[in-house]
């Protein structure tokens, strides 16, 4: 189980690292003024929207802009915290992964429902967004898995031996 959790952590680390870069540099352009960004980043986002037909970035529907704010203010900091937790083997990684996974899962459900239901999205665009739904599920499941049986010990209903009173 330990090697499997390490593999999941490695996969999550790669996704979190990509998110740590993409959210403030690319995704936040949907909710922040364009003049905050250097021209090469604006051109990169424009190339992406033209190449893959990502109408959500060009049309900027209100729900999508709201999700981008959620991503920038909540999910991005959690991704950074999760990178730190993976690198330093923090015990609270489960909690932050569970929070991150549930937030991204909810966001991606709305985005994918729009992409599939609108009829505007190319298949390529849907295949770009789908791995992030997988990331959300993986992070959520990682949050449900304990660190290891050695580090988790429950003494529910038991008092330590030294704290017990001896009867005469």
């Amino acid at each position: 189980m330990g090697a499997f959790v390490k593999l999941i952590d490695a996969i999550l680390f790669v996704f979190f690292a990509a998110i740590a870069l993409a959210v403030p540099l690319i995704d936040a352009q949907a909710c922040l003024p364009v003049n905050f960004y250097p021209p090469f980043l604006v051109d990169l986002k424009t190339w992406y929207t033209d190449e893959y037909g990502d109408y959500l970035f060009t049309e900027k529907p209100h729900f999508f802009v709201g999700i981008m704010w959620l991503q920038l203010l909540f999910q991005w900091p959690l991704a950074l915290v999760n990178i730190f937790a993976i690198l330093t083997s923090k015990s609270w990684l489960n909690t932050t992964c569970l929070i991150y996974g549930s937030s991204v899962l909810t966001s991606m459900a709305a985005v994918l429902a729009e992409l599939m239901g609108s009829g505007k999205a190319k298949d390529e665009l849907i295949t770009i967004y789908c791995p992030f739904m997988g990331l959300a599920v993986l992070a959520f499941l990682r949050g449900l898995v304990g660190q290891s049986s050695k580090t988790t010990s429950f003494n529910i209903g038991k008092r330590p031996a030294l704290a017990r009173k001896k009867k005469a």
Side-chain angles (χ1 to χ4, degrees), residues 85-160:
I86 290 171
L87 290 175
T88 57
S89 300
K90 295 294 184 186
S91 61
W92 42 263
L93 175 64
N94 294 345
T95 304
T96 56
C97 274
L98 187 62
I99 295 167
Y100 182 86
S102 59
S103 179
V104 173
L105 188 66
T106 305
S107 300
M108 289 309 301
V111 170
L112 287 172
E114 165 63 26
L115 291 175
M116 292 177 183
S118 71
K120 296 179 188 178
K122 299 177 187 176
D123 289 339
E124 285 179 316
L125 184 60
I126 294 171
T127 58
I128 289 172
Y129 278 94
C130 281
F132 295 100
M133 180 65 96
L135 162 69
V137 171
L138 191 62
F140 185 82
L141 293 175
R142 175 61 176 92
L144 295 177
V145 175
Q147 284 292 94
S148 73
S149 59
K150 294 177 184 174
T151 60
T152 309
S153 63
F154 296 102
N155 290 326
I156 299 172
K158 297 179 182 178
R159 295 189 319 206

Side-chain angles (χ1 to χ4, degrees), residues 68-79 99-100 102-104:
M68 290 299 104
W69 276 112
L70 172 73
Q71 192 176 24
L72 181 63
L73 299 176
F74 183 70
Q75 294 172 356
W76 179 62
L78 269 176
I99 295 167
Y100 182 86
S102 59
S103 179
V104 173

